[in-house]
PDB file of all heavy atoms in Angstrom:
ATOM      1  N   ALA A 121     -14.714  18.723  13.213  1.00  0.00           N
ATOM      2  CA  ALA A 121     -13.752  19.753  13.618  1.00  0.00           C
ATOM      3  C   ALA A 121     -13.484  20.733  12.481  1.00  0.00           C
ATOM      4  O   ALA A 121     -13.428  21.953  12.687  1.00  0.00           O
ATOM      5  CB  ALA A 121     -12.445  19.097  14.073  1.00  0.00           C
ATOM      6  N   GLY A 122     -13.319  20.191  11.255  1.00  0.00           N
ATOM      7  CA  GLY A 122     -13.050  21.052  10.109  1.00  0.00           C
ATOM      8  C   GLY A 122     -14.198  21.986   9.811  1.00  0.00           C
ATOM      9  O   GLY A 122     -13.994  23.175   9.531  1.00  0.00           O
ATOM     10  N   ALA A 123     -15.427  21.466   9.870  1.00  0.00           N
ATOM     11  CA  ALA A 123     -16.603  22.300   9.611  1.00  0.00           C
ATOM     12  C   ALA A 123     -16.721  23.418  10.651  1.00  0.00           C
ATOM     13  O   ALA A 123     -17.060  24.561  10.315  1.00  0.00           O
ATOM     14  CB  ALA A 123     -17.865  21.446   9.610  1.00  0.00           C
ATOM     15  N   ALA A 124     -16.438  23.088  11.914  1.00  0.00           N
ATOM     16  CA  ALA A 124     -16.511  24.087  12.979  1.00  0.00           C
ATOM     17  C   ALA A 124     -15.462  25.186  12.772  1.00  0.00           C
ATOM     18  O   ALA A 124     -15.750  26.381  12.945  1.00  0.00           O
ATOM     19  CB  ALA A 124     -16.327  23.420  14.338  1.00  0.00           C
ATOM     20  N   LEU A 125     -14.250  24.770  12.391  1.00  0.00           N
ATOM     21  CA  LEU A 125     -13.183  25.752  12.170  1.00  0.00           C
ATOM     22  C   LEU A 125     -13.503  26.670  10.994  1.00  0.00           C
ATOM     23  O   LEU A 125     -13.318  27.885  11.069  1.00  0.00           O
ATOM     24  CB  LEU A 125     -11.860  25.014  11.910  1.00  0.00           C
ATOM     25  CG  LEU A 125     -11.143  24.420  13.127  1.00  0.00           C
ATOM     26  CD1 LEU A 125      -9.968  23.570  12.685  1.00  0.00           C
ATOM     27  CD2 LEU A 125     -10.663  25.535  14.064  1.00  0.00           C
ATOM     28  N   ILE A 126     -13.995  26.068   9.907  1.00  0.00           N
ATOM     29  CA  ILE A 126     -14.281  26.858   8.709  1.00  0.00           C
ATOM     30  C   ILE A 126     -15.387  27.870   8.964  1.00  0.00           C
ATOM     31  O   ILE A 126     -15.342  29.003   8.476  1.00  0.00           O
ATOM     32  CB  ILE A 126     -14.666  25.929   7.534  1.00  0.00           C
ATOM     33  CG1 ILE A 126     -13.415  25.164   7.064  1.00  0.00           C
ATOM     34  CG2 ILE A 126     -15.272  26.711   6.375  1.00  0.00           C
ATOM     35  CD1 ILE A 126     -13.718  24.047   6.101  1.00  0.00           C
ATOM     36  N   SER A 127     -16.389  27.472   9.745  1.00  0.00           N
ATOM     37  CA  SER A 127     -17.504  28.386  10.019  1.00  0.00           C
ATOM     38  C   SER A 127     -17.069  29.579  10.887  1.00  0.00           C
ATOM     39  O   SER A 127     -17.689  30.632  10.851  1.00  0.00           O
ATOM     40  CB  SER A 127     -18.632  27.635  10.721  1.00  0.00           C
ATOM     41  OG  SER A 127     -18.220  27.181  12.011  1.00  0.00           O
ATOM     42  N   GLN A 128     -15.994  29.402  11.641  1.00  0.00           N
ATOM     43  CA  GLN A 128     -15.534  30.460  12.538  1.00  0.00           C
ATOM     44  C   GLN A 128     -14.351  31.248  11.987  1.00  0.00           C
ATOM     45  O   GLN A 128     -14.242  32.451  12.224  1.00  0.00           O
ATOM     46  CB  GLN A 128     -15.140  29.859  13.901  1.00  0.00           C
ATOM     47  CG  GLN A 128     -16.280  29.215  14.666  1.00  0.00           C
ATOM     48  CD  GLN A 128     -17.317  30.224  15.101  1.00  0.00           C
ATOM     49  OE1 GLN A 128     -17.003  31.348  15.483  1.00  0.00           O
ATOM     50  NE2 GLN A 128     -18.588  29.833  15.029  1.00  0.00           N
ATOM     51  N   PHE A 129     -13.479  30.576  11.242  1.00  0.00           N
ATOM     52  CA  PHE A 129     -12.224  31.211  10.808  1.00  0.00           C
ATOM     53  C   PHE A 129     -11.990  30.958   9.317  1.00  0.00           C
ATOM     54  O   PHE A 129     -11.622  29.852   8.916  1.00  0.00           O
ATOM     55  CB  PHE A 129     -11.035  30.674  11.612  1.00  0.00           C
ATOM     56  CG  PHE A 129     -11.242  30.705  13.100  1.00  0.00           C
ATOM     57  CD1 PHE A 129     -11.501  29.533  13.804  1.00  0.00           C
ATOM     58  CD2 PHE A 129     -11.183  31.900  13.802  1.00  0.00           C
ATOM     59  CE1 PHE A 129     -11.686  29.549  15.172  1.00  0.00           C
ATOM     60  CE2 PHE A 129     -11.382  31.926  15.181  1.00  0.00           C
ATOM     61  CZ  PHE A 129     -11.635  30.752  15.868  1.00  0.00           C
ATOM     62  N   ALA A 130     -12.173  31.991   8.507  1.00  0.00           N
ATOM     63  CA  ALA A 130     -11.985  31.842   7.060  1.00  0.00           C
ATOM     64  C   ALA A 130     -10.523  31.571   6.713  1.00  0.00           C
ATOM     65  O   ALA A 130     -10.228  30.933   5.699  1.00  0.00           O
ATOM     66  CB  ALA A 130     -12.465  33.106   6.348  1.00  0.00           C
ATOM     67  N   TRP A 131      -9.588  32.019   7.542  1.00  0.00           N
ATOM     68  CA  TRP A 131      -8.164  31.847   7.236  1.00  0.00           C
ATOM     69  C   TRP A 131      -7.713  30.386   7.308  1.00  0.00           C
ATOM     70  O   TRP A 131      -6.601  30.059   6.895  1.00  0.00           O
ATOM     71  CB  TRP A 131      -7.311  32.690   8.188  1.00  0.00           C
ATOM     72  CG  TRP A 131      -7.650  32.542   9.649  1.00  0.00           C
ATOM     73  CD1 TRP A 131      -8.405  33.382  10.397  1.00  0.00           C
ATOM     74  CD2 TRP A 131      -7.236  31.489  10.531  1.00  0.00           C
ATOM     75  NE1 TRP A 131      -8.510  32.923  11.689  1.00  0.00           N
ATOM     76  CE2 TRP A 131      -7.801  31.774  11.805  1.00  0.00           C
ATOM     77  CE3 TRP A 131      -6.459  30.355  10.386  1.00  0.00           C
ATOM     78  CZ2 TRP A 131      -7.602  30.948  12.908  1.00  0.00           C
ATOM     79  CZ3 TRP A 131      -6.256  29.520  11.476  1.00  0.00           C
ATOM     80  CH2 TRP A 131      -6.824  29.823  12.721  1.00  0.00           C
ATOM     81  N   VAL A 132      -8.590  29.501   7.827  1.00  0.00           N
ATOM     82  CA  VAL A 132      -8.240  28.081   7.871  1.00  0.00           C
ATOM     83  C   VAL A 132      -7.947  27.540   6.473  1.00  0.00           C
ATOM     84  O   VAL A 132      -7.135  26.629   6.301  1.00  0.00           O
ATOM     85  CB  VAL A 132      -9.390  27.276   8.534  1.00  0.00           C
ATOM     86  CG1 VAL A 132      -9.196  25.775   8.335  1.00  0.00           C
ATOM     87  CG2 VAL A 132      -9.471  27.600  10.012  1.00  0.00           C
ATOM     88  N   PHE A 133      -8.595  28.142   5.440  1.00  0.00           N
ATOM     89  CA  PHE A 133      -8.358  27.680   4.077  1.00  0.00           C
ATOM     90  C   PHE A 133      -6.897  27.876   3.665  1.00  0.00           C
ATOM     91  O   PHE A 133      -6.371  27.097   2.872  1.00  0.00           O
ATOM     92  CB  PHE A 133      -9.280  28.407   3.098  1.00  0.00           C
ATOM     93  CG  PHE A 133     -10.667  27.845   3.077  1.00  0.00           C
ATOM     94  CD1 PHE A 133     -11.757  28.631   3.433  1.00  0.00           C
ATOM     95  CD2 PHE A 133     -10.898  26.530   2.715  1.00  0.00           C
ATOM     96  CE1 PHE A 133     -13.038  28.120   3.412  1.00  0.00           C
ATOM     97  CE2 PHE A 133     -12.174  26.009   2.694  1.00  0.00           C
ATOM     98  CZ  PHE A 133     -13.257  26.795   3.049  1.00  0.00           C
ATOM     99  N   TYR A 134      -6.251  28.918   4.168  1.00  0.00           N
ATOM    100  CA  TYR A 134      -4.832  29.103   3.865  1.00  0.00           C
ATOM    101  C   TYR A 134      -4.011  27.932   4.428  1.00  0.00           C
ATOM    102  O   TYR A 134      -3.108  27.410   3.768  1.00  0.00           O
ATOM    103  CB  TYR A 134      -4.327  30.415   4.479  1.00  0.00           C
ATOM    104  CG  TYR A 134      -4.777  31.662   3.774  1.00  0.00           C
ATOM    105  CD1 TYR A 134      -5.682  32.541   4.369  1.00  0.00           C
ATOM    106  CD2 TYR A 134      -4.289  31.980   2.510  1.00  0.00           C
ATOM    107  CE1 TYR A 134      -6.099  33.699   3.723  1.00  0.00           C
ATOM    108  CE2 TYR A 134      -4.693  33.140   1.854  1.00  0.00           C
ATOM    109  CZ  TYR A 134      -5.599  33.987   2.463  1.00  0.00           C
ATOM    110  OH  TYR A 134      -6.008  35.119   1.822  1.00  0.00           O
ATOM    111  N   ILE A 135      -4.362  27.528   5.645  1.00  0.00           N
ATOM    112  CA  ILE A 135      -3.637  26.421   6.286  1.00  0.00           C
ATOM    113  C   ILE A 135      -3.909  25.115   5.557  1.00  0.00           C
ATOM    114  O   ILE A 135      -2.987  24.349   5.267  1.00  0.00           O
ATOM    115  CB  ILE A 135      -4.047  26.314   7.776  1.00  0.00           C
ATOM    116  CG1 ILE A 135      -3.637  27.578   8.528  1.00  0.00           C
ATOM    117  CG2 ILE A 135      -3.416  25.073   8.409  1.00  0.00           C
ATOM    118  CD1 ILE A 135      -4.084  27.603   9.969  1.00  0.00           C
ATOM    119  N   PHE A 136      -5.186  24.860   5.234  1.00  0.00           N
ATOM    120  CA  PHE A 136      -5.529  23.642   4.497  1.00  0.00           C
ATOM    121  C   PHE A 136      -4.807  23.603   3.150  1.00  0.00           C
ATOM    122  O   PHE A 136      -4.275  22.558   2.738  1.00  0.00           O
ATOM    123  CB  PHE A 136      -7.048  23.583   4.257  1.00  0.00           C
ATOM    124  CG  PHE A 136      -7.837  23.097   5.456  1.00  0.00           C
ATOM    125  CD1 PHE A 136      -7.220  22.801   6.653  1.00  0.00           C
ATOM    126  CD2 PHE A 136      -9.209  22.935   5.375  1.00  0.00           C
ATOM    127  CE1 PHE A 136      -7.944  22.345   7.747  1.00  0.00           C
ATOM    128  CE2 PHE A 136      -9.958  22.484   6.455  1.00  0.00           C
ATOM    129  CZ  PHE A 136      -9.317  22.200   7.648  1.00  0.00           C
ATOM    130  N   GLY A 137      -4.823  24.724   2.450  1.00  0.00           N
ATOM    131  CA  GLY A 137      -4.178  24.770   1.136  1.00  0.00           C
ATOM    132  C   GLY A 137      -2.691  24.524   1.229  1.00  0.00           C
ATOM    133  O   GLY A 137      -2.121  23.739   0.446  1.00  0.00           O
TER     134      GLY A 137
END
Side-chain angles (χ1 to χ4, degrees):
L125 283 172
I126 289 169
S127 65
Q128 296 294 322
F129 310 105
W131 49 261
V132 168
F133 281 119
Y134 286 111
I135 297 176
F136 280 3

